Amino acid sequence: MKIEQLMALYGENGALLEELYEKFKKDPNSLDKEWSLFFQEVETNGVYSQNGSNGNGNGNGKSAVSTSFTDAQAGSIREMGIINLLNAYRRQGHLAANVDPLGISQPNRKFIESKLGNLTAADLDTVVDTQNPSLGRAKLKDVVAWFEKAYCSTVGYEQYYLVNDEEREWLQHQIESAEYHAPLPKSIRLRLFEKLFQADHLETFLAKKYVGKKRFSLEGGESMIPMLDTIVEEAGRFKMDGLVIGMAHRGRLNVLVNVIEKPASLVFAEFEEKADKSAGSYADVKYHLGYSNSKMTSSGKEVKLSLAFNPSHLEAVNPVVTGSVRARQEQYGDADRSKFMPITIHGDAAFAGQGVVAETINLMNLDGYTTGGTFHIVINNQIGFTTLPNESRSTLYATDLAKGYQIPIVHVNGDDPEAVYRVTKLGMEYRQKFKKDFIIDLICYRRLGHNETDEPAFTQPKMYSIIKNHPPTAQLYEKKLINDGDITGEELDFIKNGSAQGLEDSFQRAKEQDIKMKVDTMQGVWAKYSKEPLDSGTATSLLAEQIDRIVKAITTVPDGFTPNPKLVKLLQSRKEMAEGKASLDYGMAEALSFGSILENGFRVRLSGQDSQRGTFSHRHAVLVDINSGAKYVGLNHISEKQARAEVVNSSLSEFSVLGFEYGYSLSDPSALVLWEAQFGDFANNTQVIFDQFLSSSEVKWQRMSGLVILLPHGYEGQGPEHSSGRIERFLQLCADNNMQVANCTNAAQYFHLLRRQILRNFRKPLIIFTPKSLLRFPGALSPIDDLLKGAFREVLPDQAEIKADKVEKVVFSFGKVYYDLLKYREENKVQSTALIRVEQVYPFPAKEIQEVLKTYKNAKTFVWCQEEPKNQGAWTFVRDRFEDLLPNGTKLIYAGRKESASPAAGHMKVHTKEQEQLVSDAYSV
Ligand SMILES: Cc1ncc(C[n+]2csc(CCOP(=O)(O)OP(=O)(O)O)c2C)c(N)n1
Ligand SMILES: [Mg+2]
């Protein structure tokens, strides 16, 4: 008999069975063969009748169709019924759990009750073998009671959808075990109380001392503090080295003081805005600032805790934190990823609403991005600003999207700190054992408005009338501890007084000692880098023997490895480039640059869509064996002492991947970290990372990044998309020497620019508008000699043999249009025009341009020629800067496309006509 058939005999499926039986009676052929046989068997053998139960039935006394079975059948039916019931607890128990401290969403017991309703008193007294070591052989009613406690008390567990049996069964085993539910030792309970009290007290203290000041109170969700404290303690027990936390505004000050142990006096200084002028300052609000500290855990292991700086943009910090952990794991050789772990803390509304949540979770099992599991906490206060869950998500739980990623989720009632403790320990064990993400959905409430000046009763009057009368978690727990009997009021008062006094003392100290805001920067791995200045003249050339070693590694494959025949040719042609028989293209220049950087001991990490091969099939950093599909990275076979290269094909995401690489670059300044967009256009999918992090993190948070962004750009008739990387947008973000923006018109320039980026003693993001057609364009190739000498030149002088004093016009350009200008000049034998390539437009190379202007003393006309429409490209940015440099009375003249709402024309013919026009304009204006 099939299991489904047996299970169908149980519970609400009895009605279905009845229906099927009716059908069978009318026409046996109308049913599936299995069912037809089943009813035939029942009718023929007389074990299925409509004449009432024989007392050994399945307990479904309500069904109009009753059953009578042989003893063996009845036994297995009952067994299946029990399994079905227990599985119902495992599957749907969470719906019946009491997880909402406010009682607004009531436990839904419908499903469980429908199963329980089928049990007779006799069934409940039956002794069953539970296969559970904690229960052994027990009466069914005791088993049910145990499962009620395990699955339907103050925690709702969602693990049933895990397809990996080992994981699911391990979780169920834990949840159903007696040890898991054993009473907690007194020391733990006191610690939970202490952390709860501190969480509560900090908020009320700040409310009193800084009336009306925004702090995004944690009140209502105080249990997060004992939860994080437990994570830190568990990290110590697991001998972990570091935890990196990403979180938004809610409860951030509380986490800083009560978990990371940032001195409260520093937070008070921030409230009072007491700056120490000599030490510089952060230029951001206090509830966005990060902090790092080492904390000794009770197991004797010190754990480094870091809270990442983050902008207001909710959830954007998630990939940054995961990337930063990945970098630490690589740096410190944490091969099994058990030493460093990201913790991301989310709001309920943001978790459900922000796409970057899914984009980041999607990285979790990818070789190039995994961190061995993120610990997620959702501060589920059942509201987002003024918006209720039914207005802000289409799912039952805020966390539902994570189910598709096979992440276990527990929903825990924030008013039960002991349950919080248990699920947190469970999560840490799971993460360390299975190296996967885990989510705790902390169901709580928000005692105040969105911020401290907000009136929540305007929009949620009912909810807030409940909250008004709802005691804080610390008070509820205090009562429980005293009722339980082994903890006295005096013991709790001791904790309370000690914590309160500690805070008061810090407050007084901050006042008396005039403690000022503190800026920590350039510490640890950053200590050897300088903040300023933008030094020039970094030597980036190579020695011939260095090149030989690299060339050998990147142009040969191991015995038995068979690349595609076309790639064998490519490797051969790269060898010839190195031997001086041909000029180098960008792909080879990049490979040599990476190889030399690795040899210098710096890691190289490049990620982006299809980056291993390269969108334009120009890179082939990772070769694939045509027979086995095995991959080979020649860059990792240069020498024994070299650093490792990691060239990764990314998921089809920009936001999370760029965020990840930015985070990586923050934690490992000694790695050349690059992100490549498939086409420059797609960079706008990750605008937040450019605006809120890359361009502004130095000024806001004193956090540097040497990340390189490769944005394929160039007008080649491919239409509105795939033409522009939006130069203008990046230039608009440029100020205070925050970034570098470049476009290399030959392979050697690209080689030197990449090397300059890593060899400098400071780190600034570098945006490179990279070529498409120029990748193999003969004019843009470079002889190998150009790698053995020279350096990146921010401005390239005219290389033609023209007489400087005959030059009447100077045309400046940025990028590949130079080659169109050059072609025109040659074809039209123009003698009086010099063509100057600006290769780095920010920081603006004013000095170098002045030198050029000095060379062409007789020039009277100065032109900026660009491919991009007038409202785009570098035009408006350079126009103002040239004004200060050009001779009095002269202005920079524009030659380029007219203004346009779209970046490029849709048709090749239009493109070509426009391109010809703008080039001839450069000569005729
Ligand atoms: C991307 C983004 N959109 C909008 C906002 C404005 N905003 C700040 S907090 C908030 C509500 C957040 O709700 P939730 O995620 O539940 O966190 P809570 O404040 O309830 O802890 C909104 C909409 C923002 N900070 N970031
Ligand atoms: Mg919320």
Side-chain angles (χ1 to χ4, degrees), residues 249-250 312-314 347-350 354 379 381 383-385 450:
H249 51 288
R250 178 81 48 221
S312 176
H313 289 58
L314 296 166
D348 52 320
Q354 292 292 309
I379 309 180
N381 52 19
I383 195 163
F385 213 141
H450 175 62

Side-chain angles (χ1 to χ4, degrees), residues 70 85 88 162 165 174 241 255 264 284 377 392 472 544 642 742 911:
T70 63
L85 170 67
L162 299 180
D165 291 339
Q174 304 297 314
D241 292 327
V255 170
D284 202 355
I377 301 167
S392 73
Q642 72 163 103
H911 158 80

Side-chain angles (χ1 to χ4, degrees), residues 784-832:
I784 187 90
D785 276 0
D786 283 2
L787 275 46
L788 302 175
K789 58 181 172 35
F792 175 73
R793 301 189 66 174
E794 294 167 8
V795 174
L796 282 178
D798 199 320
Q799 283 158 349
E801 286 181 11
I802 48 170
K803 291 212 169 73
D805 55 355
K806 294 270 176 328
V807 167
E808 291 163 13
K809 176 186 275 186
V810 184
V811 179
F812 295 90
S813 59
F814 180 60
K816 86 168 198 351
V817 72
Y818 161 76
Y819 290 105
D820 296 337
L821 291 166
L822 189 63
K823 185 163 170 253
Y824 183 100
R825 188 172 72 178
E826 282 164 4
E827 283 174 1
N828 294 282
K829 304 200 169 35
V830 181
Q831 302 286 339
S832 55

Side-chain angles (χ1 to χ4, degrees), residues 520-524 526-531 702-704:
D520 66 331
T521 184
M522 312 310 276
Q523 290 169 7
W526 282 91
K528 62 177 180 226
Y529 296 93
S530 107
K531 265 176 77 179
Q702 307 272 347
R703 288 299 178 274
M704 327 294 155

Side-chain angles (χ1 to χ4, degrees), residues 619-631:
R619 178 170 297 123
H620 295 287
V622 180
L623 299 174
V624 180
D625 184 294
I626 54 169
N627 302 312
S628 66
K631 291 188 170 183

